[in-house]
Amino acid sequence: FSISTQPHVLLFADSKKLGVRITQYLNTLLPEEYRSGPKKMIYHYNSHMSEKYLAFVFTQFTSDTGNCRILVTTSCNAVGVDFPNVKIVCNAGLPSTVVDTLQRAGRAIRTGTEDALFILFYDLSVHDIALEEYSNGDQGDSDRPRTNLTMRNPNRKDRAPYFLVELIQSRRCIRASFAKYLNESRYDPRR
């Protein structure tokens, strides 16, 4: 293992609790010297933490001299935050809208012409959702949830947006699907 070859990874979690669990798990995979102290590589971040902690972690992640290479965060870093050095963005779970998904993916490679990677981790039960169950609400809304979300704690399957479920279940080109969603007529599939 070499910290110099570890790319900067931004990992979005659906909740603070999940973010902590992911951070703890990833830390177990590191050599002991990178789990805590001045060489600590993985931090979690959410908007309920102290401003001092958040500023420290942000600097550790974005600075050329910082040790943080993996930042596990909530949606608080999805919009309006530039991470100049992120090569990989991951999302644990399905965001509630396609725009949220694209905003998160867009945190990678904010400068330069390098390639970036966006990975969407999802529960395999998404394959068990029948698209016909999306009959509630505005049928023209690609982000509509599977059911009416008036219940107190809807589960992930109920919150899953139609477009992302359809995308995961299909064999279509992901980039072409996002371009269609955004009415992007200039999309070139050879890029």
Side-chain angles (χ1 to χ4, degrees), residues 13-24:
D14 282 346
S15 67
K16 293 179 286 187
K17 189 176 184 179
L18 179 59
V20 169
R21 287 183 16 226
I22 290 170
T23 303
Q24 289 170 340

Side-chain angles (χ1 to χ4, degrees), residues 131-147:
L131 293 175
E132 298 78 36
E133 295 176 6
Y134 284 87
S135 58
N136 292 325
D138 178 2
Q139 296 301 296
D141 180 5
S142 296
D143 292 326
R144 67 186 179 276
R146 187 170 69 122
T147 60

Side-chain angles (χ1 to χ4, degrees), residues 23-92:
T23 303
Q24 289 170 340
Y25 172 73
L26 292 175
N27 262 319
T28 67
L29 304 176
L30 291 174
E32 189 71 35
E33 66 185 292
Y34 294 106
R35 294 181 188 182
S36 62
K39 290 187 176 183
K40 184 174 179 177
M41 280 186 48
I42 303 174
Y43 286 88
H44 67 283
Y45 187 112
N46 70 65
S47 59
H48 290 94
M49 297 173 154
S50 74
E51 287 187 35
K52 183 178 179 181
Y53 173 84
L54 296 177
F56 171 77
V57 171
F58 186 82
T59 299
Q60 285 292 307
F61 190 62
T62 58
S63 168
D64 290 338
T65 59
N67 283 327
C68 180
R69 293 296 193 276
I70 301 173
L71 181 61
V72 182
T73 186
T74 57
S75 61
C76 66
N77 279 313
V79 178
V81 181
D82 284 335
F83 297 104
N85 51 1
V86 173
K87 303 244 189 271
I88 301 170
V89 175
C90 304
N91 199 92

Side-chain angles (χ1 to χ4, degrees), residues 82-155:
D82 284 335
F83 297 104
N85 51 1
V86 173
K87 303 244 189 271
I88 301 170
V89 175
C90 304
N91 199 92
L94 297 180
S96 60
T97 69
V98 177
V99 171
D100 287 346
T101 306
L102 293 171
Q103 283 290 334
R104 293 172 188 199
R107 300 304 95 202
I109 308 294
R110 303 291 293 175
T111 59
T113 58
E114 296 178 64
D115 289 331
L117 182 62
F118 176 64
I119 302 168
L120 183 62
F121 295 104
Y122 60 89
D123 189 294
L124 290 177
S125 66
V126 169
H127 292 286
D128 299 330
I129 298 174
L131 293 175
E132 298 78 36
E133 295 176 6
Y134 284 87
S135 58
N136 292 325
D138 178 2
Q139 296 301 296
D141 180 5
S142 296
D143 292 326
R144 67 186 179 276
R146 187 170 69 122
T147 60
N148 188 342
L149 299 180
T150 56
M151 62 186 102
R152 183 170 165 88
N153 289 312
N155 65 42

